[in-house]
Amino acid sequence: MAVVLMAGWAAFSACGGSTVDEGELQEDPNRRDGGSGTGSTSSGVASSGGGSSSSSASSTSSSSSSSSTTGGTSSSSSSSSSSSSTTGGTSSSSSSSSSSSTTGGTSSSSSSSSSSSSSSSSSSSGGSSGAVTSDPFDGTTYCTARANAECDQANRCDPSIIDWSFGSLARCKSAQRALCLAEDAPFLSALIGQSVIFSQAQYATCMSEITGLACGAAPGLSAACDAMFRGARNQNAGCAASIQCADGLFCSGLATGVTCGSCQPTLNLGSVCTYHSACGPSARCIAATAGATSGTCQALSDLYKPAGQVCNTQNGPACQGYLVCSGATASNPAGTCTAIELLAGGAACSATSDIQRCISGQQCVVPTAGDAAGTCTALPGSGTACDLDRGVFLCADPYYCSAWETNGVTAGTCNARKTAGGSCTAAETAWAGNGYKMGFLACYPDLYCDPDAAGTNYTCTAPQAPAALPACP
């Protein structure tokens, strides 16, 4: 089973509202599977159309952007969502996992694993234990390169996503690196050399390809990204996640409470499925209605469309990459996949346009609430007033607009973001989605606004290293 890059990026969606998420099912149910993705607690910033190559995205939502949530505030990866993090596996002899704490906003603290796992012998047919030959894997190097490549690509294609998700390009890179170190590197380090094979050459090529990926690129992985991690377990072998299975296979039989399955051939298009990896890297598992527990495998080419083709923000198809479903409204969800128009600082902009984006560090501000004509204006700094009704949604990094903390409030002040242990609000969690964090909220973007046991008090919390996968012999 080939793996993917940061699934969190797919969760962010810059499709301008084109969505196929309502009936889109999760990845392997008991874990964040799929390999190198950021997993359920990571933030993300790319497009559900696959702008930064995501093959097993978890519950991808794509809330539209226009002026209020440019680039989409959208959905989040849910806790059992796709992508790779859960410290894994089968007794990781050679790979030691990392510690992970990322104290708010600034440091990406701990180093995750530098696991070299180049043991011998590859797994035999049906076998599930024993070391396999792999290139050495260093979590810090991997997470740094991946964060840089994906943030640069998002910044090139839609800078507003960087501002909304992180506040600045530098913050995007530091936050994504920290989350990767906390959640993904331990998972990968524990599996590489045991049930997963890492290719340094394919990794280097993949990172380069992401940086230069076209903004309207079709979803799915390039050959290099597809080959960066390979499962070593053959058909009928035990597994706890699809990343452990060889090409053309997925971990079948997983369900809530069922932690072990077996590697089986991926399903054909139209087959009944319960999670994405069952359908292989070029398809998704889509349910007919929200809340359904099963769906059918549908081709990515049917779910995401290129520029100039019809899209639908309610029922799909969505748009590829960072294209916007332009012209769609709440009453008429049909639109056309259209490229984003980037505007320089000081340029005239329209608060009602669904394709215009000011460059990073700028937002479209109107003179009076309700006006359409505005100007791309620099994000305000500490102590400055912000006003959601006039388009002053964001503050310059590392500040946030306090209006987002309370439902129904539209005016606030640019306050300093909060580090781990700082207080946050239920309203922010609602804006962010289930576990998905956005840079315009109070907590630094490498932290989560988590409730206490009673669900009454919320605190900015650092991500935790995921639990180990069972051995599943």
Side-chain angles (χ1 to χ4, degrees):
M1 170 66 186
V3 296
V4 300
L5 301 176
M6 295 164 117
W9 292 68
F12 185 84
S13 178
C15 282
S18 301
T19 175
V20 293
D21 68 304
E22 200 169 66
E24 188 165 359
L25 300 176
Q26 63 191 15
E27 193 43 53
D28 293 4
N30 296 314
R31 67 211 91 268
R32 290 151 286 188
D33 181 53
S36 57
T38 50
S40 72
T41 51
S42 300
S43 66
V45 274
S47 76
S48 70
S52 43
S53 78
S54 155
S55 104
S56 68
S58 71
S59 48
T60 354
S61 159
S62 18
S63 147
S64 138
S65 73
S66 95
S67 61
S68 68
T69 49
T70 319
T73 61
S74 200
S75 95
S76 77
S77 30
S78 70
S79 67
S80 49
S81 75
S82 81
S83 173
S84 77
S85 11
T86 53
T87 317
T90 49
S91 93
S92 68
S93 66
S94 63
S95 48
S96 65
S97 66
S98 66
S99 85
S100 65
S101 93
T102 87
T103 56
T106 48
S107 63
S108 58
S109 69
S110 64
S111 67
S112 101
S113 82
S114 148
S115 75
S116 125
S117 35
S118 53
S119 320
S120 58
S121 82
S122 66
S123 61
S124 59
S125 75
S128 61
S129 61
V132 296
T133 301
S134 173
D135 289 344
F137 174 79
D138 180 78
T140 301
T141 301
Y142 166 77
C143 289
T144 300
R146 194 184 78 187
N148 289 346
E150 294 181 339
C151 290
D152 283 339
Q153 199 254 351
N155 189 58
R156 174 171 55 84
C157 291
D158 187 351
S160 67
I161 289 180
I162 297 295
D163 291 338
W164 276 95
S165 278
F166 300 99
S168 68
L169 178 59
R171 185 72 62 189
C172 176
K173 292 179 178 181
S174 65
Q176 291 297 86
R177 178 180 181 273
L179 290 169
C180 175
L181 286 171
E183 298 173 339
D184 296 345
F187 167 84
L188 291 168
S189 296
L191 295 184
I192 290 170
Q194 299 301 311
S195 56
V196 173
I197 300 166
F198 171 67
S199 168
Q200 180 65 42
Q202 299 292 357
Y203 153 76
T205 301
C206 175
M207 295 300 113
S208 176
E209 289 175 347
I210 295 170
T211 302
L213 195 65
C215 296
L221 296 174
S222 70
C225 294
D226 186 53
M228 181 168 56
F229 298 102
R230 295 252 184 224
R233 294 186 176 178
N234 295 327
Q235 188 169 348
N236 298 323
C239 55
S242 291
I243 185 178
Q244 298 173 297
C245 299
D247 289 351
L249 306 176
F250 78 105
C251 192
S252 176
L254 300 177
T256 302
V258 180
T259 58
C260 288
S262 64
C263 294
Q264 299 298 330
T266 53
L267 305 176
N268 295 325
L269 294 179
S271 298
V272 174
C273 52
T274 55
Y275 42 91
H276 290 319
S277 62
C279 301
S282 60
R284 293 281 189 279
C285 186
I286 305 296
T289 59
T293 57
S294 65
T296 57
C297 292
Q298 298 183 31
L300 290 174
S301 57
D302 292 332
L303 298 173
Y304 301 104
K305 296 299 180 181
Q309 295 204 17
V310 173
C311 49
N312 189 298
T313 57
Q314 289 184 2
N315 304 313
C319 296
Q320 292 181 175
Y322 294 85
L323 300 175
V324 172
C325 190
S326 182
T329 64
S331 59
N332 180 15
T336 302
C337 292
T338 306
I340 287 169
E341 177 187 357
L342 293 179
L343 303 176
C349 56
S350 172
T352 60
S353 172
D354 57 8
I355 62 170
Q356 289 185 349
R357 305 284 190 272
C358 299
I359 59 171
S360 184
Q362 304 265 326
Q363 58 194 337
C364 187
V365 178
V366 298
T368 307
D371 288 349
T375 303
C376 288
T377 306
L379 305 183
S382 176
T384 308
C386 48
D387 186 346
L388 310 187
D389 287 338
R390 294 182 48 240
V392 189
F393 304 113
L394 307 176
C395 300
D397 184 47
Y399 305 101
Y400 73 99
C401 180
S402 63
W404 293 106
E405 295 180 296
T406 308
N407 290 327
V409 172
T410 59
T413 303
C414 291
N415 295 333
R417 285 200 184 118
K418 299 173 182 178
T419 56
S423 63
C424 49
T425 69
E428 293 180 82
T429 299
W431 278 115
N434 180 20
Y436 185 61
K437 296 304 139 192
M438 302 291 291
F440 65 88
L441 302 177
C443 301
Y444 273 97
D446 56 351
L447 303 176
Y448 302 95
C449 183
D450 291 332
D452 60 15
T456 55
N457 297 309
Y458 289 74
T459 305
C460 297
T461 307
Q464 302 298 309
L469 290 179
C472 299

